Structures are given as structure tokens and as C-alpha cells.
Amino acid sequence: IIMSESASPYLDELQADLIYLLNQYANEPGARLADAIAAQIERILRHPLIDLFPELQRRMAECLNQWRCRAGFEPRLSAASAMAALN
């Protein structure tokens, strides 16, 4: 399998954004941040190279529902709102 150089860093960026959101949640937990974290995990799981990392894929899938539960019943954030949480 040949990975393009542009695809691999993108997955790294998604992971870095997830770590940022997790740190934000650790400082100030809330349903909106939990929802943004769940959305970020979904982005990672949809990445075309995720199949090359089965352990990462398995662990992301395992924790997705936990973050969805933490988000409660608040409506899903739009993509723009999720990105705003990163800024």
C-alpha cells in the first residue's frame, strides 16, 4: 500500500485536534465539548487511512459511544461550531 504524503498528515491533524478538545474538556467539561469530541472521533473513523491502524480504529470506535453519552441530548454541533471549539 502506498500512502500519499498529504493523506497521512491529515490523520495526524485530526488526532492533534482531538487531543486539544480532550484537554479543553479536562479543564471545563460540558456537553457541547463532549459533542465536539464525538464528532472529531467520527471524522477520524471516516478517514480513508484508518484501516491501516486497526488498534486506533478499535479504540476510537469503543470510546465514541461514551462521548456521545457525555454529550447528553443536546443537538449535534454543526461542522462550523465544532471547528469553532478548536479555536
Side-chain angles (χ1 to χ4, degrees):
I1 297 175
I2 299 173
M3 295 183 354
S4 73
E5 290 182 20
S6 64
S8 184
Y10 183 63
L11 183 56
D12 290 348
E13 290 174 11
L14 291 176
Q15 291 173 317
D17 289 345
L18 177 61
I19 291 167
Y20 175 81
L21 289 170
L22 292 169
N23 283 329
Q24 292 291 94
Y25 186 88
N27 291 325
E28 192 174 333
R32 290 181 61 81
L33 266 176
D35 191 54
I37 291 168
Q40 190 67 15
I41 291 170
E42 289 172 350
R43 283 186 206 94
I44 291 170
L45 288 171
R46 286 193 307 265
H47 191 277
L49 296 180
I50 193 67
D51 292 337
L52 298 175
F53 305 96
E55 186 62 18
L56 176 63
Q57 184 179 29
R58 183 183 68 77
R59 290 186 184 221
M60 289 286 114
E62 283 177 357
C63 69
L64 178 57
N65 283 334
Q66 294 170 350
W67 286 104
R68 286 177 175 163
C69 288
R70 285 185 182 119
F73 296 105
E74 286 194 9
R76 288 263 332 119
L77 288 175
S78 67
S81 296
M83 291 310 292
L86 292 172
N87 295 324

Coordinates of all heavy atoms in Angstrom, one line a residue:
I1 N 0.9 -1.2 0.0 CA 0.0 0.0 0.0 C 0.9 1.2 0.0 O 1.8 1.3 0.8 CB -0.9 0.0 1.2 CG1 -1.9 -1.2 1.2 CG2 -1.7 1.3 1.3 CD1 -2.7 -1.3 2.4
I2 N 0.6 2.1 -0.9 CA 1.3 3.4 -1.0 C 0.5 4.5 -0.4 O -0.7 4.7 -0.8 CB 1.7 3.7 -2.4 CG1 2.6 2.6 -2.9 CG2 2.4 5.1 -2.5 CD1 3.0 2.7 -4.4
M3 N 1.0 5.2 0.6 CA 0.2 6.3 1.2 C 0.8 7.6 0.7 O 2.0 7.8 0.6 CB 0.4 6.3 2.7 CG -0.1 5.1 3.4 SD -0.1 5.0 5.2 CE 0.9 6.4 5.7
S4 N -0.2 8.4 0.3 CA 0.3 9.7 -0.2 C 0.7 10.6 1.0 O 0.2 10.4 2.1 CB -0.9 10.4 -0.9 OG -1.8 10.9 0.0
E5 N 1.7 11.4 0.8 CA 2.2 12.3 1.9 C 1.1 13.2 2.4 O 1.1 13.6 3.6 CB 3.4 13.0 1.4 CG 4.6 12.1 1.2 CD 5.8 12.9 0.8 OE1 5.9 14.1 1.0 OE2 6.7 12.3 0.2
S6 N 0.2 13.6 1.6 CA -0.8 14.6 2.0 C -1.9 13.9 2.9 O -2.5 14.5 3.7 CB -1.5 15.2 0.8 OG -2.2 14.3 0.0
A7 N -2.1 12.6 2.7 CA -3.2 11.9 3.5 C -2.7 11.6 4.9 O -3.5 11.8 5.8 CB -3.6 10.6 2.8
S8 N -1.5 11.2 5.1 CA -1.0 10.8 6.4 C -1.0 12.0 7.4 O -1.5 11.8 8.5 CB 0.4 10.2 6.3 OG 0.8 9.7 7.6
P9 N -0.5 13.1 7.0 CA -0.5 14.3 8.0 C -1.9 14.7 8.3 O -2.2 15.1 9.4 CB 0.2 15.4 7.3 CG 1.1 14.7 6.3 CD 0.3 13.5 5.9
Y10 N -2.9 14.5 7.4 CA -4.2 14.9 7.7 C -4.8 14.1 8.9 O -5.4 14.6 9.8 CB -5.1 14.7 6.5 CG -6.5 15.1 6.7 CD1 -6.9 16.5 7.0 CD2 -7.6 14.2 6.6 CE1 -8.2 16.8 7.1 CE2 -8.9 14.6 6.8 CZ -9.2 15.9 7.1 OH -10.5 16.3 7.3
L11 N -4.5 12.8 8.9 CA -4.9 11.9 10.0 C -4.2 12.4 11.3 O -4.9 12.5 12.4 CB -4.6 10.5 9.8 CG -5.1 9.5 10.8 CD1 -6.6 9.6 11.1 CD2 -4.7 8.0 10.4
D12 N -3.0 12.8 11.2 CA -2.3 13.3 12.4 C -2.9 14.6 12.9 O -3.0 14.8 14.1 CB -0.8 13.6 12.0 CG 0.0 12.4 11.8 OD1 -0.5 11.3 12.2 OD2 1.1 12.5 11.3
E13 N -3.4 15.5 11.9 CA -4.0 16.7 12.3 C -5.3 16.4 13.0 O -5.7 17.1 14.0 CB -4.3 17.6 11.1 CG -3.0 18.2 10.5 CD -3.3 18.9 9.2 OE1 -4.5 19.2 8.9 OE2 -2.3 19.3 8.6
L14 N -6.1 15.4 12.6 CA -7.3 15.0 13.2 C -7.0 14.6 14.7 O -7.8 14.9 15.6 CB -8.0 14.0 12.5 CG -8.6 14.3 11.1 CD1 -9.2 13.1 10.4 CD2 -9.7 15.4 11.3
Q15 N -6.0 13.8 14.8 CA -5.6 13.3 16.2 C -5.2 14.5 17.1 O -5.5 14.5 18.2 CB -4.5 12.3 16.1 CG -5.0 11.0 15.4 CD -3.9 10.0 15.2 OE1 -2.8 10.4 14.7 NE2 -4.1 8.7 15.5
A16 N -4.4 15.4 16.5 CA -4.0 16.5 17.3 C -5.2 17.4 17.7 O -5.2 17.9 18.9 CB -3.0 17.4 16.5
D17 N -6.1 17.6 16.8 CA -7.3 18.3 17.2 C -8.1 17.6 18.3 O -8.7 18.2 19.2 CB -8.2 18.5 16.0 CG -7.6 19.5 15.0 OD1 -6.7 20.3 15.3 OD2 -8.1 19.6 13.8
L18 N -8.2 16.3 18.2 CA -8.9 15.5 19.2 C -8.2 15.7 20.6 O -8.8 15.9 21.6 CB -8.9 14.0 18.9 CG -9.5 13.1 19.9 CD1 -11.0 13.5 20.2 CD2 -9.4 11.6 19.5
I19 N -6.9 15.7 20.6 CA -6.1 15.9 21.9 C -6.4 17.3 22.4 O -6.6 17.4 23.6 CB -4.6 15.6 21.7 CG1 -4.4 14.1 21.4 CG2 -3.8 16.1 22.9 CD1 -3.0 13.8 20.9
Y20 N -6.4 18.2 21.6 CA -6.8 19.6 22.0 C -8.2 19.6 22.7 O -8.3 20.2 23.7 CB -6.7 20.6 20.8 CG -7.1 22.0 21.2 CD1 -6.3 22.8 21.9 CD2 -8.4 22.4 20.9 CE1 -6.7 24.1 22.2 CE2 -8.8 23.7 21.3 CZ -8.0 24.5 21.9 OH -8.4 25.8 22.3
L21 N -9.1 19.0 22.0 CA -10.5 19.0 22.5 C -10.6 18.3 23.9 O -11.3 18.7 24.8 CB -11.5 18.4 21.5 CG -11.8 19.2 20.3 CD1 -12.5 18.4 19.3 CD2 -12.5 20.5 20.6
L22 N -9.8 17.2 24.0 CA -9.8 16.4 25.2 C -9.2 17.3 26.4 O -9.7 17.2 27.5 CB -9.0 15.1 25.1 CG -9.7 14.1 24.2 CD1 -8.7 13.0 23.9 CD2 -10.9 13.5 24.8
N23 N -8.2 18.0 26.1 CA -7.6 18.9 27.1 C -8.6 20.0 27.5 O -8.7 20.4 28.6 CB -6.3 19.5 26.6 CG -5.1 18.6 26.6 OD1 -5.1 17.7 27.5 ND2 -4.2 18.7 25.7
Q24 N -9.3 20.6 26.5 CA -10.3 21.6 26.8 C -11.4 21.0 27.7 O -11.8 21.6 28.6 CB -11.0 22.1 25.5 CG -10.1 22.9 24.6 CD -9.7 24.2 25.3 OE1 -8.7 24.4 25.9 NE2 -10.6 25.2 25.1
Y25 N -11.8 19.8 27.4 CA -12.8 19.1 28.2 C -12.3 18.8 29.6 O -13.1 19.0 30.6 CB -13.2 17.8 27.5 CG -14.4 17.1 28.2 CD1 -15.7 17.4 27.9 CD2 -14.2 16.2 29.2 CE1 -16.8 16.8 28.5 CE2 -15.3 15.6 29.9 CZ -16.6 15.9 29.5 OH -17.6 15.3 30.2
A26 N -11.1 18.5 29.8 CA -10.5 18.2 31.1 C -10.5 19.5 31.9 O -10.7 19.5 33.2 CB -9.1 17.7 31.0
N27 N -10.3 20.7 31.3 CA -10.4 21.9 32.0 C -11.8 22.4 32.3 O -12.0 23.1 33.3 CB -9.6 23.0 31.2 CG -8.1 22.7 31.2 OD1 -7.6 22.2 32.1 ND2 -7.5 23.1 30.1
E28 N -12.7 22.2 31.4 CA -14.1 22.6 31.5 C -15.0 21.7 30.9 O -15.4 21.9 29.7 CB -14.2 24.0 30.9 CG -15.5 24.7 31.2 CD -15.5 26.2 30.7 OE1 -14.4 26.8 30.6 OE2 -16.6 26.6 30.5
P29 N -15.4 20.6 31.6 CA -16.3 19.6 31.0 C -17.7 20.2 30.7 O -18.1 21.1 31.4 CB -16.4 18.5 32.1 CG -15.4 18.9 33.1 CD -15.0 20.3 32.9
G30 N -18.2 19.7 29.6 CA -19.6 20.1 29.2 C -20.1 19.3 28.0 O -19.3 18.7 27.3
A31 N -21.4 19.4 27.9 CA -22.0 18.6 26.8 C -21.6 19.0 25.4 O -21.4 18.2 24.5 CB -23.5 18.6 26.9
R32 N -21.4 20.3 25.2 CA -21.0 20.8 23.9 C -19.6 20.4 23.5 O -19.4 20.0 22.4 CB -21.2 22.3 23.8 CG -22.6 22.8 23.9 CD -22.7 24.3 23.8 NE -22.2 24.9 22.5 CZ -22.9 24.9 21.3 NH1 -24.1 24.4 21.3 NH2 -22.3 25.4 20.3
L33 N -18.7 20.4 24.4 CA -17.4 19.9 24.1 C -17.4 18.4 23.9 O -16.7 17.9 23.1 CB -16.4 20.3 25.3 CG -15.6 21.5 25.1 CD1 -14.8 21.8 26.3 CD2 -14.7 21.5 23.8
A34 N -18.2 17.7 24.7 CA -18.3 16.2 24.5 C -18.8 15.9 23.1 O -18.4 15.0 22.5 CB -19.2 15.6 25.6
D35 N -19.8 16.7 22.7 CA -20.3 16.5 21.3 C -19.2 16.8 20.3 O -19.1 16.1 19.3 CB -21.5 17.4 21.1 CG -22.3 17.0 19.9 OD1 -22.6 15.9 19.7 OD2 -22.5 18.0 19.1
A36 N -18.4 17.8 20.5 CA -17.4 18.1 19.5 C -16.3 17.0 19.5 O -15.8 16.7 18.5 CB -16.7 19.5 19.9
I37 N -16.1 16.4 20.7 CA -15.1 15.3 20.7 C -15.7 14.1 20.0 O -15.0 13.5 19.2 CB -14.8 14.9 22.2 CG1 -14.0 16.1 22.8 CG2 -14.1 13.6 22.3 CD1 -13.8 16.0 24.3
A38 N -17.0 13.8 20.2 CA -17.6 12.7 19.5 C -17.6 12.9 18.0 O -17.2 12.0 17.2 CB -19.1 12.5 19.9
A39 N -17.8 14.2 17.5 CA -17.7 14.5 16.1 C -16.3 14.3 15.6 O -16.1 13.8 14.4 CB -18.2 15.9 15.9
Q40 N -15.3 14.7 16.4 CA -13.9 14.5 15.9 C -13.6 13.1 15.8 O -12.9 12.7 14.9 CB -13.0 15.3 16.9 CG -11.6 15.4 16.4 CD -11.4 16.3 15.2 OE1 -12.3 17.0 14.9 NE2 -10.3 16.2 14.5
I41 N -14.0 12.3 16.7 CA -13.8 10.8 16.7 C -14.4 10.2 15.4 O -13.8 9.4 14.7 CB -14.3 10.1 17.9 CG1 -13.4 10.5 19.1 CG2 -14.3 8.6 17.8 CD1 -14.0 10.1 20.5
E42 N -15.6 10.7 15.1 CA -16.3 10.2 13.9 C -15.5 10.6 12.6 O -15.3 9.8 11.7 CB -17.7 10.8 13.8 CG -18.6 10.2 14.8 CD -20.0 11.0 14.8 OE1 -20.1 12.0 14.2 OE2 -20.9 10.4 15.5
R43 N -14.9 11.8 12.6 CA -14.0 12.2 11.5 C -12.8 11.3 11.4 O -12.4 10.9 10.3 CB -13.5 13.6 11.7 CG -14.6 14.7 11.3 CD -14.0 16.1 11.4 NE -15.0 17.0 11.7 CZ -15.4 17.5 12.9 NH1 -14.7 17.1 14.0 NH2 -16.4 18.3 13.1
I44 N -12.2 10.9 12.5 CA -11.1 10.0 12.5 C -11.5 8.6 11.9 O -10.8 8.0 11.1 CB -10.4 9.9 13.9 CG1 -9.8 11.2 14.3 CG2 -9.5 8.7 13.9 CD1 -9.3 11.3 15.7
L45 N -12.7 8.2 12.4 CA -13.1 6.8 11.9 C -13.5 6.8 10.5 O -13.5 5.8 9.8 CB -14.3 6.4 12.8 CG -14.0 6.0 14.2 CD1 -15.2 5.8 15.1 CD2 -13.1 4.7 14.2
R46 N -13.8 8.0 9.9 CA -14.1 8.1 8.4 C -12.9 8.3 7.6 O -13.0 8.3 6.4 CB -15.2 9.2 8.2 CG -16.6 8.8 8.7 CD -17.6 9.8 8.1 NE -17.2 11.2 8.4 CZ -17.7 11.9 9.5 NH1 -18.5 11.3 10.3 NH2 -17.3 13.2 9.6
H47 N -11.8 8.6 8.2 CA -10.6 8.9 7.4 C -10.2 7.6 6.5 O -10.3 6.5 7.0 CB -9.4 9.2 8.3 CG -8.2 9.8 7.6 ND1 -7.3 9.0 7.0 CD2 -7.9 11.0 7.4 CE1 -6.4 9.7 6.4 NE2 -6.7 11.0 6.6
P48 N -9.8 7.9 5.3 CA -9.6 6.7 4.4 C -8.4 5.8 4.8 O -8.3 4.7 4.4 CB -9.3 7.4 3.0 CG -9.1 8.8 3.3 CD -9.7 9.2 4.6
L49 N -7.5 6.3 5.6 CA -6.4 5.5 6.0 C -6.6 4.8 7.4 O -5.7 4.1 7.9 CB -5.1 6.4 6.1 CG -4.6 7.0 4.8 CD1 -3.4 7.8 5.0 CD2 -4.4 5.9 3.8
I50 N -7.7 5.0 8.0 CA -7.9 4.4 9.4 C -7.8 2.9 9.4 O -7.3 2.3 10.4 CB -9.2 4.9 10.0 CG1 -9.3 4.6 11.5 CG2 -10.4 4.3 9.3 CD1 -8.3 5.4 12.3
D51 N -8.1 2.3 8.3 CA -8.0 0.8 8.2 C -6.5 0.3 8.4 O -6.3 -0.8 8.7 CB -8.6 0.3 6.9 CG -10.1 0.4 6.8 OD1 -10.7 0.5 7.9 OD2 -10.6 0.4 5.7
L52 N -5.6 1.2 8.1 CA -4.2 0.8 8.3 C -3.8 0.8 9.7 O -2.7 0.4 10.0 CB -3.3 1.8 7.5 CG -3.5 1.8 6.0 CD1 -2.7 2.9 5.3 CD2 -3.2 0.5 5.4
F53 N -4.6 1.3 10.6 CA -4.3 1.4 12.0 C -5.4 0.8 12.8 O -6.3 1.4 13.5 CB -4.2 2.9 12.4 CG -3.2 3.6 11.6 CD1 -3.5 4.4 10.5 CD2 -1.8 3.6 11.9 CE1 -2.6 5.1 9.7 CE2 -0.9 4.2 11.1 CZ -1.3 5.0 10.0
P54 N -5.5 -0.6 12.8 CA -6.6 -1.3 13.4 C -6.8 -1.0 14.9 O -7.9 -1.0 15.4 CB -6.3 -2.8 13.1 CG -4.9 -2.8 12.7 CD -4.5 -1.5 12.2
E55 N -5.7 -0.9 15.6 CA -5.8 -0.6 17.1 C -6.4 0.7 17.3 O -7.3 0.9 18.2 CB -4.5 -0.8 17.7 CG -4.5 -0.7 19.2 CD -5.4 -1.8 19.9 OE1 -5.6 -2.8 19.3 OE2 -5.7 -1.6 21.1
L56 N -6.0 1.7 16.6 CA -6.5 3.1 16.7 C -8.0 3.1 16.4 O -8.8 3.6 17.1 CB -5.8 4.1 15.8 CG -6.3 5.5 15.8 CD1 -6.2 6.2 17.1 CD2 -5.6 6.3 14.7
Q57 N -8.3 2.4 15.3 CA -9.7 2.3 14.8 C -10.6 1.6 15.9 O -11.7 2.1 16.2 CB -9.8 1.5 13.5 CG -11.2 1.4 13.0 CD -11.2 0.7 11.6 OE1 -10.4 -0.2 11.4 NE2 -12.1 1.0 10.8
R58 N -10.1 0.5 16.5 CA -10.9 -0.2 17.5 C -11.1 0.7 18.7 O -12.2 0.8 19.2 CB -10.1 -1.5 17.9 CG -10.9 -2.3 18.9 CD -10.1 -3.6 19.3 NE -8.9 -3.2 20.1 CZ -8.9 -2.9 21.4 NH1 -10.1 -2.8 22.0 NH2 -7.8 -2.6 22.1
R59 N -10.0 1.4 19.2 CA -10.2 2.2 20.4 C -11.0 3.4 20.2 O -11.8 3.8 21.0 CB -8.8 2.6 20.9 CG -8.1 1.4 21.5 CD -6.8 1.8 22.1 NE -6.1 0.6 22.6 CZ -5.5 0.5 23.7 NH1 -5.5 1.5 24.5 NH2 -4.9 -0.6 24.1
M60 N -10.9 4.0 19.0 CA -11.8 5.2 18.7 C -13.3 4.7 18.7 O -14.1 5.4 19.2 CB -11.4 5.8 17.3 CG -10.1 6.5 17.3 SD -10.2 8.1 18.1 CE -9.1 7.8 19.4
A61 N -13.5 3.6 18.1 CA -14.9 3.1 18.0 C -15.4 2.7 19.4 O -16.6 3.0 19.7 CB -15.0 1.8 17.1
E62 N -14.6 2.2 20.2 CA -15.0 1.9 21.6 C -15.4 3.1 22.4 O -16.4 3.0 23.2 CB -13.9 1.1 22.4 CG -13.7 -0.3 22.0 CD -12.5 -0.9 22.7 OE1 -11.8 -0.2 23.5 OE2 -12.3 -2.1 22.6
C63 N -14.7 4.2 22.3 CA -15.0 5.3 23.1 C -16.0 6.3 22.5 O -16.5 7.2 23.2 CB -13.7 6.1 23.5 SG -12.8 6.9 22.1
L64 N -16.4 6.1 21.2 CA -17.3 7.0 20.6 C -18.6 7.1 21.3 O -19.1 8.2 21.6 CB -17.5 6.6 19.1 CG -18.5 7.4 18.3 CD1 -18.1 8.9 18.3 CD2 -18.7 6.9 16.9
N65 N -19.2 6.0 21.7 CA -20.5 6.0 22.4 C -20.4 6.6 23.8 O -21.3 7.3 24.2 CB -21.1 4.6 22.5 CG -21.7 4.2 21.2 OD1 -22.1 5.0 20.4 ND2 -21.8 2.9 21.0
Q66 N -19.2 6.5 24.4 CA -19.0 7.1 25.7 C -19.1 8.6 25.6 O -19.7 9.3 26.4 CB -17.7 6.7 26.4 CG -17.6 5.3 26.7 CD -16.2 4.9 27.1 OE1 -15.3 5.6 26.9 NE2 -16.1 3.6 27.6
W67 N -18.5 9.2 24.5 CA -18.5 10.6 24.3 C -19.9 11.1 23.9 O -20.3 12.2 24.2 CB -17.4 11.0 23.3 CG -16.1 11.0 24.0 CD1 -15.1 10.1 23.9 CD2 -15.7 11.9 25.0 NE1 -14.1 10.4 24.7 CE2 -14.4 11.5 25.4 CE3 -16.2 13.1 25.6 CZ2 -13.6 12.2 26.4 CZ3 -15.5 13.8 26.6 CH2 -14.2 13.3 27.0
R68 N -20.6 10.2 23.1 CA -22.0 10.6 22.7 C -22.8 10.7 24.0 O -23.7 11.5 24.1 CB -22.5 9.5 21.8 CG -22.0 9.7 20.4 CD -22.5 8.6 19.5 NE -22.1 8.7 18.1 CZ -22.1 7.8 17.2 NH1 -22.6 6.6 17.6 NH2 -21.7 8.0 16.0
C69 N -22.6 9.7 24.9 CA -23.4 9.8 26.2 C -23.1 11.0 27.0 O -24.0 11.6 27.6 CB -23.1 8.5 27.0 SG -23.9 7.0 26.3
R70 N -21.8 11.4 27.1 CA -21.4 12.6 27.8 C -22.0 13.8 27.2 O -22.3 14.8 27.9 CB -19.9 12.7 27.8 CG -19.2 11.8 28.7 CD -17.7 12.1 28.8 NE -17.1 11.1 29.7 CZ -16.1 10.3 29.3 NH1 -15.7 10.3 28.0 NH2 -15.6 9.4 30.1
A71 N -22.3 13.8 25.9 CA -22.9 14.9 25.2 C -24.3 15.1 25.6 O -24.9 16.2 25.4 CB -22.7 14.8 23.7
G72 N -25.0 14.0 26.1 CA -26.4 14.1 26.5 C -27.3 14.2 25.3 O -27.0 13.7 24.3
F73 N -28.3 15.0 25.5 CA -29.3 15.1 24.5 C -29.3 16.4 23.8 O -30.2 16.8 23.1 CB -30.7 14.9 25.1 CG -30.9 13.5 25.7 CD1 -30.9 13.3 27.0 CD2 -31.1 12.5 24.8 CE1 -31.0 12.0 27.5 CE2 -31.2 11.2 25.3 CZ -31.2 11.0 26.7
E74 N -28.2 17.2 23.9 CA -28.0 18.4 23.2 C -27.9 18.1 21.7 O -27.4 17.1 21.2 CB -26.8 19.2 23.6 CG -26.9 19.8 25.0 CD -25.8 20.8 25.2 OE1 -25.1 21.2 24.3 OE2 -25.8 21.3 26.4
P75 N -28.5 19.0 20.8 CA -28.4 18.8 19.4 C -26.9 18.7 18.9 O -26.1 19.3 19.5 CB -29.1 20.0 18.8 CG -29.3 21.0 19.9 CD -29.1 20.3 21.2
R76 N -26.7 18.0 17.8 CA -25.4 17.9 17.2 C -24.9 19.3 16.8 O -25.6 20.1 16.3 CB -25.4 17.1 16.0 CG -25.6 15.7 16.1 CD -24.7 14.6 16.2 NE -23.5 14.3 15.7 CZ -22.4 14.1 16.5 NH1 -22.5 14.3 17.7 NH2 -21.3 13.6 16.0
L77 N -23.6 19.4 17.1 CA -22.9 20.7 16.6 C -22.8 20.6 15.1 O -22.5 19.6 14.5 CB -21.5 20.8 17.2 CG -21.4 21.1 18.7 CD1 -20.0 21.0 19.1 CD2 -22.0 22.4 19.0
S78 N -22.9 21.8 14.5 CA -22.6 21.8 13.1 C -21.1 21.7 12.9 O -20.3 21.9 13.9 CB -23.1 23.2 12.5 OG -22.3 24.2 13.1
A79 N -20.6 21.5 11.7 CA -19.2 21.4 11.5 C -18.5 22.7 11.8 O -17.4 22.7 12.4 CB -18.9 21.0 10.0
A80 N -19.2 23.8 11.5 CA -18.6 25.1 11.8 C -18.5 25.3 13.3 O -17.5 25.8 13.8 CB -19.5 26.2 11.2
S81 N -19.5 24.9 14.1 CA -19.4 25.0 15.6 C -18.3 24.1 16.2 O -17.7 24.5 17.1 CB -20.8 24.6 16.2 OG -21.7 25.5 15.8
A82 N -18.2 22.9 15.6 CA -17.1 22.0 16.1 C -15.7 22.6 15.8 O -14.9 22.6 16.7 CB -17.2 20.7 15.4
M83 N -15.6 23.2 14.7 CA -14.3 23.9 14.3 C -14.1 25.1 15.2 O -13.0 25.4 15.6 CB -14.2 24.2 12.9 CG -14.2 23.0 11.9 SD -12.9 21.8 12.4 CE -11.4 22.8 12.0
A84 N -15.1 25.8 15.6 CA -15.0 27.0 16.4 C -14.5 26.6 17.8 O -13.8 27.3 18.5 CB -16.4 27.7 16.5
A85 N -14.9 25.4 18.3 CA -14.5 24.9 19.6 C -12.9 24.7 19.6 O -12.3 24.7 20.6 CB -15.2 23.6 19.9
L86 N -12.4 24.5 18.4 CA -10.9 24.3 18.3 C -10.2 25.6 18.3 O -9.0 25.6 18.6 CB -10.6 23.6 16.9 CG -11.0 22.1 16.8 CD1 -10.8 21.6 15.4 CD2 -10.3 21.3 17.8
N87 N -10.9 26.7 18.2 CA -10.2 28.0 18.2 C -10.3 28.7 19.5 O -10.9 28.5 20.4 CB -10.7 28.9 17.1 CG -10.4 28.3 15.8 OD1 -9.4 27.8 15.5 ND2 -11.4 28.5 14.8

